[in-house]
Amino acid sequence: MTEPSPNQPRVGCGVAILRNGELLLIRRGRAPEAGCWSLPGGKVDAGEPTETTARREIAEELGLTLGPLELLCVVDLILPDQHWVSPTYLARSFQGEPALLEPEKHTGLGWFRLDALPTPLAASVIAAAEAMKRI
């Protein structure tokens, strides 16, 4: 399979994982948004439903098994050279303790209160935080 052209939208997904009123974030080590605190998640593989992607990516990146998921919002990350469309799920329960299992991709991990999020923030976190205010 060939890589999409820079002008062709790609599909990814993310998960806003909450525990005791805090949001789990990872710091991105790679583009897009390198250095930003972001929701965990990743690229959707061809033929893979987005919820399946979300569960797979969280298991691969953090070692967590997610409980029920609800669609929180859809994030459009539009950069000069990339466009990502990302359904973003909300997880209120999970099994395991998060760990950085892909240190070549992520440089930090932490739990943050919604009123005390770190900076800089990825577009996905900004959109998810706004959506969580409405639920």
Side-chain angles (χ1 to χ4, degrees), residues 55 58-59 63-67 93-96:
R55 292 179 183 284
I58 299 311
L64 299 177
T65 301
L66 298 174
S93 66
F94 59 89
Q95 293 178 351

Side-chain angles (χ1 to χ4, degrees), residues 12-24:
C13 66
V15 183
I17 302 170
L18 289 178
R19 178 177 75 181
N20 300 324
E22 294 183 323
L23 181 63
L24 180 61

Side-chain angles (χ1 to χ4, degrees), residues 120-135:
L121 287 175
S124 62
V125 179
I126 295 167
E130 285 299 314
M132 283 187 274
K133 290 177 184 177
R134 297 188 296 268
I135 59 172

Side-chain angles (χ1 to χ4, degrees), residues 86-99:
S86 300
T88 302
Y89 292 93
L90 177 62
R92 299 174 196 260
S93 66
F94 59 89
Q95 293 178 351
E97 190 59 35

Side-chain angles (χ1 to χ4, degrees), residues 13 30 46 56 65 79:
C13 66
R30 295 182 179 174
R56 175 182 54 77
T65 301
L79 302 170

